[in-house]
């Protein structure tokens, strides 16, 4: 039940993706492409529960708290699992329960496996790696190119359903 709950929470409030490590690029090295899972929210009980789950499952993670520039917004937290081992461990547990972000999880897991199989610490990135990065980025874009049909009943001037 806990895995299903966490998968649902990540589906709604999380991100599964690949990111480039800009710090290495600033120092003159090639950018690294790192897998990650992040979850964000504002409820303290929720972040404590997620922290307890990840600790029990021995999944390394970082928790960051931040305050929005807008005073009326609540203080928020972000739980991050960045890197091959951490990301792989969480995705192996939850992927089968993901709905919204299942495609991203499968793609990130395939990227991790491909890099491990190619001794990822030494191997240069391939076009397949760059393509995976771009596919996941497109999947995570806000909004959608799909057209949705509005099935909301409308009322005419006489307040009768049309």
């Amino acid at each position: 039940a806990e895995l299903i709950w966490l998968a649902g929470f990540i589906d709604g409030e999380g991100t599964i993706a690949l990111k480039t490590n800009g710090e290495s690029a600033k120092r003159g090295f090639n950018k690294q492409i790192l897998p990650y899972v992040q979850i964000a929210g504002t409820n303290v009980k929720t972040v404590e529960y997620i922290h307890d789950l990840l600790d029990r499952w021995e999944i390394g993670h970082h928790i960051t708290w931040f305050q929005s520039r807008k005073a009326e917004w609540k203080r928020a937290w972000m739980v991050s699992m960045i890197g091959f081992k951490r990301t792989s461990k969480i995705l192996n547990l939850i992927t089968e329960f993901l709905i919204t972000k299942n495609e991203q999880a499968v793609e990130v897991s395939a990227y991790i496996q491909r890099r491990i199989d190619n001794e990822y610490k030494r191997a240069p990135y391939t076009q397949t790696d760059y393509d995976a990065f771009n596919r996941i980025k497109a999947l995570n874009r806000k909004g959608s190119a799909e057209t949705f049909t509005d099935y909301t009943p409308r009322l005419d001037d006489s307040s009768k359903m049309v």
Side-chain angles (χ1 to χ4, degrees):
E2 293 169 332
L3 288 174
I4 295 168
W5 179 87
L6 186 60
F9 200 85
I10 290 171
D11 261 344
E13 301 296 332
T15 302
I16 299 170
L18 298 173
K19 71 178 198 163
T20 56
N21 181 347
E23 288 302 310
S24 60
K26 289 178 188 174
R27 288 183 257 148
F29 301 109
N30 290 331
K31 287 185 176 183
Q32 290 180 298
I33 300 174
L34 297 172
Y36 73 98
V37 175
Q38 286 183 324
I39 316 162
T42 58
N43 186 286
V44 174
K45 286 182 183 178
T46 302
V47 72
E48 289 171 350
Y49 183 63
I50 291 170
H51 171 68
D52 288 344
L53 291 176
L54 296 175
D55 270 358
R56 244 187 305 129
W57 299 332
E58 298 179 352
I59 297 173
H61 58 284
H62 298 282
I63 300 173
T64 308
W65 287 90
F66 53 95
Q67 180 65 48
S68 172
R69 289 177 287 209
K70 295 189 178 190
E72 67 272 14
W73 289 8
K74 293 180 183 178
R75 185 172 178 231
W77 51 263
M78 184 175 302
V79 176
S80 302
M81 291 150 279
I82 302 171
F84 288 83
K85 291 177 185 174
R86 294 171 180 193
T87 304
S88 181
K89 202 165 187 180
I90 188 68
L91 292 180
N92 285 339
L93 291 173
I94 66 166
T95 297
E96 69 180 294
F97 305 114
L98 292 168
I99 297 169
T100 307
K101 294 186 172 73
N102 183 274
E103 198 171 345
Q104 290 94 320
V106 169
E107 189 77 50
V108 168
S109 293
Y111 168 81
I112 291 169
Q113 193 57 54
R114 202 169 39 252
R115 296 298 294 170
I116 289 171
D117 289 347
N118 291 319
E119 297 179 19
Y120 61 90
K121 291 188 177 183
R122 294 182 195 96
Y125 293 108
T126 65
Q127 189 59 49
T128 304
D129 296 329
Y130 294 122
D131 291 345
F133 178 86
N134 289 323
R135 270 192 308 278
I136 294 165
K137 189 175 179 180
L139 287 168
N140 284 330
R141 273 196 198 104
K142 291 188 180 206
S144 173
E146 296 177 36
T147 303
F148 293 96
T149 304
D150 181 4
Y151 292 105
T152 307
R154 289 186 291 266
L155 301 175
D156 66 7
D157 290 337
S158 63
S159 298
K160 294 181 182 174
M161 292 181 83
V162 178

